[in-house]
Amino acid sequence: MGALLLLTACADTATMSKARDERAGFATVAGISRQATGAEAAWLQTPAERQAHAQRVRAIVQGKTIGAEQAVQVALLNNPGLQASYADLGMSAADLWETALGPVPSVGISVSGLVSGDVSRSVEGTVASSILDMVTKKSRTRAADLEFRQAQLAAAGETLALAHETRRTWIEAVGAFEAAGLVGRAQGAADAASELAAQLGETGALSRADQAREHVFTAELAAEQAEARLEAQLAKEKLVRLLGLWGTDTDFYVPDSLPALPGNVPNRANIERLALENRVDLAAGRLEMEAVAARYRLNGQTRMLSDAEVGAGVEIEREDGETERSPVVDVAFSIPVYDTSGLISRRGKLEYQRSANSLAQSAINARSEARSAYTAVTGKHQIALHWRDQVLPLRREIDEQALLSYNGMLTSTFELLNDAREGLESQLSAAEAKRDYWLAEADATAAIWGGASDNGEDE
Amino acid sequence: MNRRQVMGAGIGAGAAALTVNMGQAETRFRDLPEAASTDSPYTQVPPRPTTGIEYNPVVTLNGWSLPYRMNGNVKEFHLVAEPVERIMADGMIARLWGYNGQSTGPTIEAIEGERVRIYVTNRLPEHTSVHWHGLILPSGMDGVSGLSHPGIPSGKTFVYEFDLVKSGTFMYHPHADEMVQMAMGMMGLFIVHPRDPAFMPVDRDFAFLLAAYDIDPGTYIPRVAEMTNFNLWTFNSRIFPDIDPLVVNQGDRVRVRVGNLTMTNHPVHMHGYDFEVTCTDGGWVRPEARWPEVSIDIPVGAMRAYEFDADHLGDWAIHCHKSHHTMNAMGHELPTIIGADKSRVTDMVRRHQPGYMSMGTAGMADMGEMSMEIPENTIPMMTGWGPHGPLEMGGMFSVVKVREGIAPDDYSDPGWYENPPGTQAWEWTGELPEHASNDSPETILTPRGGKRLG
């Protein structure tokens, strides 16, 4: 259990065996990735790799019903756009690799289910934590390493964004199939009423107008059902694109319905801290500052300021060594402050200020996005629970009573079927609420690890 | 049930009161008479009077007569208008308004020429009044609130006092917020016996009021704003199969008094006999003004009493002849399913309602035979079992049971009548004779002497 996506070192062993030791972080990750045998090599560089990879993807998808984690896995393995990003990484890494480090990173993952609530066990979580693990490693070749690590983070950002989009698309596709199924059941109830109307037309108990009323309802519902089915097919086709599939590989299925609503949403009061610790874009911002400091040869960092302090206007450029701090937040995102006394170029100062402020802004945004995501996921959960635990039981009660009423010859079969149809409408709304919850859940994951498009607000 | 078993304390107090002299009575009776109450929905047969003028008390179907006391020469009653729970049939309780614990209220019985003093205590949440339907009395006692006297406010007791100037069949009901209070079940019989026991004597004297309610299946309280679509048609707020039978000894002279406080007429039809109306709420009908009937239409807001000699043994249906009035709550918007092939539909519906049963394709008698679960507090539309199968009845339906050897005061159910051999319809299993048939809608003249088959 547990999805593992690992940036690991597929060592170009002919040249750099030493590099593997130097990349101790990779070695650790590679150890964990043993479980993921056969599902690694994602940066496909040789025809043999491509062929082997195609077989692996085919084994996962062809003729199978794939879950959210599997969809994310296939996307990360197979999405051509992501491959392009990895190629960028390769190019930017090339210099470094040629001189010192050797192995180029690749991505490996293993299968897991959609694990509700445990953010560290999602594909995204594993990707991000592995990357952060690497980028925080000190390097001996600082400048080249910084650039490479930035490139890694950029690739990781792309990876997470694709994972997030794939997960949302999977949820939307499955939700669309679930909705189409429910519309189909409503259609079944309407069909029964239509059949009865036809029978009563034959016996002479129902006028042509009343028969037509039943038939037209069924006919209209048939159009709605066609619409719902089409929507589901198109949603699945979007998933196909993200998974980078074509030909017979598109011959896979998604489940008929989304997983049941979990009983409660795990308490993520610490979501702000999780985001600050884990967001890949924040890590990239820190690296950017490090890069600026390196470029202008600033002498080591003198202290740390929180994002809130930067936001509140605490001086970033300290020249006299004094410190003033205003601890206003529980969880601080630390922004390194370098001794800028040696800076003489105005350009250097501005660039430094820019990166510090933009990092502070990113951190503040990340806090807000995390809070929004948490509010959304708890709110959507409450709404979906309300549909499930309040509305649907009432609908069941109505259905039960409708049958009793029919039994007593108090109401007709038409009314019984009408109640059933209205019950299905409620089920449809309940299914939509459940889908919205899972989307919010996916967004919350993105808010913690990064990867949400448009600053984590996808809708 | 018989006269010796019932009517305890109230009557006892009344009888005891007769022994005290006037002086004591004035002291003792400064208080209200006891307000008797009952929670039983079964017929309580009143005892015959042991003192004073002799009369034959009426048997109120699924009802009772209000105990009284004599205060000097005034007969005193205490009516309490109050919310009640009426068991309309086993398995159905109606939350109504009534009098002294029941709806319909207790029957008031008195004797022509008596002076009555009726205390009316209002325990309803709104004012009420009592109109004494058909009685000749002073204008200020007529019970039309606002017109005759102020309404009786909630929590107050008013006194009505008047002389009973004639005998006959009468009733009482509110004339304040009348539509609502009558829709809630407020009504009762008022029987004035002739002073002369030899005038219009009968052996058995039954009485009931026709009342209609609109109590939606699954509910308990009537919809008071209803005017036409009532779904419960009752004798004394009671429905078949739990209306007590009219038990009669063969040869008895029998009177049945019926009052109609619903919003439609009821042709009350009794099987097995022909009979004549002898009394209306306007008074006794002269013999030369009567004609024979088997169905008596009881107009809205009117009463009819008919009499017959119970010569014919048997179980004889008595019911309103409007066929919807011998049904319990039913759906009036149901399409006719007769003749439809529902086999496919049934399978389709069961996908949504697994408990769905196909009914009605051969008529609605399935209903009487299948006992399927229906909404709570609801009696099936057609129900009841007799000695030969389901009766498929409801509402205004009971049975007149004429037997040999029923003791004079015995009204207990003698069970089902056993048809003597050869007097019951039987199944023909031989070859069928040729039967006539006609597919022409034209008038066909029958030749004199009839038309012989074969």
Side-chain angles (χ1 to χ4, degrees):
Chain A
M1 200 60 191
L4 300 173
L5 179 144
L6 309 162
L7 274 183
T8 186
C10 262
D12 184 357
T13 47
T15 53
M16 276 292 168
S17 61
K18 180 169 164 270
R20 182 178 288 278
D21 291 324
E22 287 175 351
R23 305 293 291 179
F26 282 118
T28 307
V29 169
I32 303 167
S33 75
R34 275 195 297 274
Q35 305 159 15
T37 35
E40 293 166 11
W43 188 16
L44 310 169
Q45 293 169 308
T46 69
E49 274 176 8
R50 285 196 193 92
Q51 197 183 352
H53 159 80
Q55 277 167 7
R56 276 195 296 273
V57 167
R58 191 163 297 137
I60 297 172
V61 299
Q62 207 173 47
K64 302 278 174 55
T65 299
I66 64 166
E69 300 296 330
Q70 288 160 313
V72 171
Q73 177 190 359
V74 171
L76 298 188
L77 285 174
N78 207 44
N79 183 286
L82 189 63
Q83 293 301 312
S85 300
Y86 289 167
D88 288 345
L89 173 60
M91 283 186 278
S92 83
D95 299 342
L96 180 64
W97 248 248
E98 280 165 12
T99 56
L101 295 172
V104 292
S106 67
V107 178
I109 45 182
S110 75
V111 180
S112 93
L114 188 60
V115 183
S116 160
D118 187 351
V119 292
S120 67
R121 295 175 76 181
S122 65
V123 172
E124 291 90 328
T126 315
V127 169
S129 55
S130 305
I131 290 165
L132 290 171
D133 198 28
M134 289 187 303
V135 297
T136 50
K137 285 277 166 207
K138 285 292 173 193
S139 165
R140 295 183 183 94
T141 54
R142 197 174 170 208
D145 181 50
L146 272 175
E147 277 177 28
F148 177 58
R149 283 192 287 163
Q150 282 181 289
Q152 278 182 317
L153 286 172
E158 296 283 336
T159 307
L160 290 172
L162 177 65
H164 179 234
E165 193 184 357
T166 304
R167 188 180 294 278
R168 282 190 63 97
T169 304
W170 181 89
I171 291 165
E172 273 163 1
V174 176
F177 277 103
E178 187 166 4
L182 288 167
V183 174
R185 292 195 58 207
Q187 167 83 46
D191 281 344
S194 206
E195 166 77 13
L196 179 59
Q199 280 294 331
L200 295 185
E202 280 183 31
T203 64
L206 209 62
S207 70
R208 287 173 65 92
D210 285 343
Q211 289 175 62
R213 276 185 193 101
E214 292 297 332
H215 296 329
V216 80
F217 187 84
T218 308
E220 283 170 0
L221 211 54
E224 269 177 51
Q225 191 190 6
E227 191 84 39
R229 283 184 177 155
L230 182 63
E231 212 166 289
Q233 280 167 344
L234 293 179
K236 188 187 161 196
E237 200 53 49
K238 186 182 173 197
L239 185 62
V240 168
R241 284 197 296 282
L242 290 173
L243 302 191
L245 298 174
W246 57 280
T248 56
D249 285 346
T250 63
D251 182 21
F252 69 92
Y253 307 97
V254 293
D256 292 334
S257 62
L258 286 166
L261 205 59
N264 46 34
V265 178
N267 183 1
R268 289 203 204 119
N270 62 346
I271 193 167
E272 266 187 64
R273 186 173 57 74
L274 288 175
L276 293 176
E277 287 171 2
N278 295 308
R279 284 273 292 254
V280 172
D281 53 340
L282 295 183
R286 260 211 198 96
L287 280 182
E288 172 67 20
M289 278 199 73
E290 272 187 56
V292 170
R295 202 174 306 137
Y296 293 96
R297 298 192 166 69
L298 296 179
N299 300 327
Q301 80 190 48
T302 57
R303 58 184 174 139
M304 304 290 276
L305 279 181
S306 79
D307 56 327
E309 287 166 325
V310 175
V314 174
E315 238 180 309
I316 301 167
E317 303 169 69
R318 296 295 304 181
E319 298 184 7
D320 55 11
E322 267 181 42
T323 57
E324 40 179 295
R325 311 213 59 176
S326 50
V328 290
V329 283
D330 293 340
V331 185
F333 177 72
S334 304
I335 293 171
V337 175
Y338 292 89
D339 179 2
T340 54
S341 54
L343 268 181
I344 42 169
S345 87
R346 176 168 168 74
R347 180 185 173 80
K349 276 190 179 180
L350 287 174
E351 214 168 304
Y352 176 72
Q353 278 176 353
R354 186 187 58 124
S355 58
N357 277 307
S358 108
L359 179 56
Q361 181 63 56
S362 301
I364 288 164
N365 285 352
R367 286 176 185 276
S368 167
E369 284 157 23
R371 282 193 306 272
S372 293
Y374 182 58
T375 305
V377 81
T378 50
K380 294 290 187 188
H381 186 259
Q382 287 295 314
I383 292 166
L385 269 188
H386 178 83
W387 278 101
R388 189 192 73 181
D389 296 343
Q390 305 297 322
V391 178
L392 294 188
L394 290 171
R395 281 297 180 189
R396 280 194 289 279
E397 170 96 30
I398 290 171
D399 277 350
E400 283 162 20
Q401 291 299 318
L403 184 61
L404 299 187
S405 177
Y406 166 80
N407 285 348
M409 289 195 178
L410 304 164
T411 48
S412 72
T413 303
F414 290 119
E415 286 158 292
L416 186 71
L417 289 167
N418 201 43
D419 281 332
R421 281 198 303 252
E422 283 176 9
L424 286 163
E425 276 170 32
S426 287
Q427 285 189 40
L428 201 57
S429 298
E432 280 169 9
K434 183 175 70 170
R435 180 204 60 199
D436 289 348
Y437 161 73
W438 283 119
L439 288 174
E441 176 73 37
D443 290 346
T445 303
I448 292 171
W449 304 108
S453 55
D454 191 24
N455 292 331
E457 295 294 328
D458 212 51
E459 281 176 319
Chain B
M1 62 212 159
N2 61 48
R3 290 188 200 278
R4 284 173 297 279
Q5 291 168 340
V6 290
M7 309 302 285
I11 289 290
L18 292 171
T19 64
V20 301
N21 67 37
M22 284 298 294
Q24 287 170 314
E26 278 172 21
T27 313
R28 177 162 174 207
F29 292 150
R30 279 183 309 185
D31 296 331
L32 286 174
E34 182 190 350
S37 183
T38 183
D39 57 5
S40 165
Y42 302 112
T43 307
Q44 298 178 38
V45 181
R48 293 175 188 277
T50 52
T51 57
I53 292 163
E54 190 188 322
Y55 67 88
N56 184 23
V58 296
V59 171
T60 308
L61 278 191
N62 291 94
W64 60 309
S65 289
L66 188 62
Y68 60 87
R69 72 180 181 191
M70 293 305 296
N71 189 352
N73 58 3
V74 179
K75 193 173 257 181
E76 291 188 333
F77 297 90
H78 189 173
L79 272 183
V80 178
E82 61 186 356
V84 302
E85 286 199 337
R86 173 67 165 178
I87 301 173
M88 284 206 163
D90 288 352
M92 185 189 172
I93 289 174
R95 294 183 189 142
L96 304 176
W97 286 355
Y99 297 96
N100 301 61
Q102 292 293 307
S103 164
T104 53
T107 299
I108 295 173
E109 290 188 79
I111 300 165
E112 177 189 3
E114 277 184 324
R115 185 168 184 80
V116 292
R117 184 179 297 131
I118 304 168
Y119 296 86
V120 179
T121 297
N122 181 7
R123 290 187 188 153
L124 299 172
E126 68 170 355
H127 70 183
T128 187
S129 71
V130 183
H131 165 61
W132 313 98
H133 174 109
L135 289 159
I136 305 300
L137 38 61
S139 176
M141 293 291 166
D142 196 40
V144 179
S145 77
L147 179 65
S148 318
H149 58 78
I152 307 167
S154 192
K156 302 286 188 184
T157 299
F158 274 33
V159 181
Y160 292 91
E161 184 168 337
F162 46 85
D163 293 316
L164 302 175
V165 299
K166 66 175 190 178
S167 63
T169 304
F170 311 102
M171 53 193 176
Y172 62 88
H173 61 79
H175 225 297
D177 194 10
E178 185 183 0
M179 176 197 83
V180 166
Q181 295 191 6
M182 285 174 62
M184 288 293 284
M186 299 190 74
M187 58 192 74
L189 289 149
F190 198 132
I191 305 298
V192 182
H193 296 282
R195 197 158 194 86
D196 175 6
F199 179 72
M200 301 294 290
V202 291
D203 299 300
R204 291 180 190 248
D205 200 343
F206 296 96
F208 56 90
L209 286 175
L210 306 173
Y213 299 95
D214 184 20
I215 301 179
D216 277 341
T219 70
Y220 293 77
I221 192 166
R223 281 161 34 85
V224 294
E226 185 54 64
M227 189 175 94
T228 50
N229 291 320
F230 296 92
N231 59 12
L232 290 171
W233 304 97
T234 74
F235 290 177
N236 282 342
S237 302
R238 192 85 173 158
I239 53 177
F240 180 81
D242 290 323
I243 300 174
D244 283 334
L246 288 74
V247 177
V248 171
N249 185 39
Q250 187 178 31
D252 278 350
R253 178 74 180 171
V254 181
R255 181 185 294 133
V256 180
R257 313 190 198 220
V258 189
N260 179 6
L261 285 175
T262 75
M263 298 212 219
T264 186
N265 65 316
H266 297 280
V268 170
H269 176 56
M270 192 180 91
H271 296 203
Y273 288 85
D274 47 44
F275 36 80
E276 292 176 345
V277 170
T278 56
C279 186
T280 76
D281 36 356
W284 299 100
V285 181
R286 295 183 301 278
E288 64 271 25
R290 303 172 191 166
W291 62 80
E293 317 220 41
V294 293
S295 292
I296 298 167
D297 193 43
I298 321 288
V300 178
M303 309 185 75
R304 297 289 182 269
Y306 66 88
E307 292 175 23
F308 62 97
D309 293 318
D311 296 327
H312 314 302
L313 291 174
D315 281 345
W316 306 108
I318 177 172
H319 60 90
C320 175
H321 214 291
K322 288 185 173 176
S323 56
H324 274 227
H325 294 182
T326 52
M327 293 279 112
N328 293 321
M330 61 177 289
H332 292 276
E333 306 300 321
L334 295 180
T336 302
I337 307 293
I338 293 169
D341 176 7
K342 270 181 78 181
S343 50
R344 230 170 83 81
V345 171
T346 302
D347 288 342
M348 292 167 89
V349 176
R350 279 194 183 145
R351 274 176 229 143
H352 302 277
Q353 275 284 12
Y356 179 80
M357 301 280 283
S358 172
M359 290 187 295
T361 52
M364 283 189 171
D366 335 22
M367 179 79 198
E369 292 166 28
M370 298 174 166
S371 44
M372 283 185 298
E373 197 187 352
I374 63 174
E376 65 169 8
N377 202 43
T378 302
I379 303 300
M381 172 179 93
M382 45 168 92
T383 182
W385 285 78
H388 308 294
L391 265 71
E392 299 156 358
M393 287 279 123
M396 294 172 163
F397 184 98
S398 188
V399 180
V400 178
K401 299 191 170 192
V402 183
R403 300 286 189 278
E404 286 177 298
I406 304 273
D409 289 340
D410 188 2
Y411 289 82
S412 54
D413 189 343
W416 301 113
Y417 183 67
E418 283 183 36
N419 300 312
T423 67
Q424 183 183 316
W426 71 95
E427 184 186 1
W428 174 258
T429 52
E431 237 175 87
L432 284 175
E434 190 187 335
H435 72 285
S437 180
N438 172 39
D439 57 7
S440 164
E442 306 297 320
T443 304
I444 298 172
L445 296 177
T446 309
R448 289 182 190 281
K451 195 172 181 183
R452 286 175 64 101
L453 275 175

